[in-house]
């Protein structure tokens, strides 16, 4: 639903199927304008997840969260979605 994989079946099975994070960064992912609503939805959800983490950290008085694994993973995924949305909106097929 996010695009299609350019990996040839003859090359063997995908080793990145266990995580959306891997698919989002995979050079074999090809997506285009018709998939933009899906990516925008993912971006909005992930931006909200990051904001929820920041709110929770603030409530707990935590200021050194930048190296927390959960924060780094959530922020990284949000950045990936932003890159894909920007590329699609710019007319590129990722």
């Amino acid at each position: 639903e996010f695009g299609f994989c350019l990996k040839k079946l003859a090359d063997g099975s995908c080793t990145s199927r266990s995580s959306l994070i891997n698919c989002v960064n995979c050079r074999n992912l090809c997506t285009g304008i018709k998939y933009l609503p899906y990516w925008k939805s993912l971006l909005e959800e992930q931006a909200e997840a990051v904001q929820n983490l920041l709110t929770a950290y603030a409530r707990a008085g935590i200021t050194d969260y930048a190296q927390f694994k959960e924060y780094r993973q959530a922020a990284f995924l949000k950045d990936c979605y932003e890159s894909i949305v920007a590329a699609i909106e710019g007319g590129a097929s990722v």
Side-chain angles (χ1 to χ4, degrees):
E1 68 192 53
F2 306 117
F4 56 93
C5 185
L6 296 174
K7 184 172 174 67
K8 304 276 189 267
L9 290 176
D11 292 339
S13 64
C14 181
T15 58
S16 301
R17 283 190 168 178
S18 63
S19 171
L20 179 60
I21 294 171
N22 292 327
C23 289
V24 124
N25 293 318
C26 182
R27 62 183 171 83
N28 293 315
L29 178 67
C30 184
T31 191
I33 194 72
K34 73 178 186 177
Y35 300 104
L36 184 58
Y38 296 110
W39 289 107
K40 281 187 170 184
S41 175
L42 288 170
L43 174 57
E44 289 171 8
E45 290 173 14
Q46 196 60 32
E48 185 177 331
V50 170
Q51 187 56 50
N52 289 341
L53 283 174
L54 294 175
T55 300
Y57 296 148
R59 283 187 191 145
I62 299 171
T63 58
D64 58 344
Y65 55 82
Q67 294 304 314
F68 288 5
K69 187 173 185 174
E70 67 180 351
Y71 174 75
R72 285 191 355 234
Q73 184 176 11
F76 177 73
L77 189 54
K78 182 180 86 59
D79 292 345
C80 290
Y81 292 157
E82 285 175 345
S83 293
I84 289 176
V85 167
I88 294 171
E89 288 178 337
S93 285
V94 182

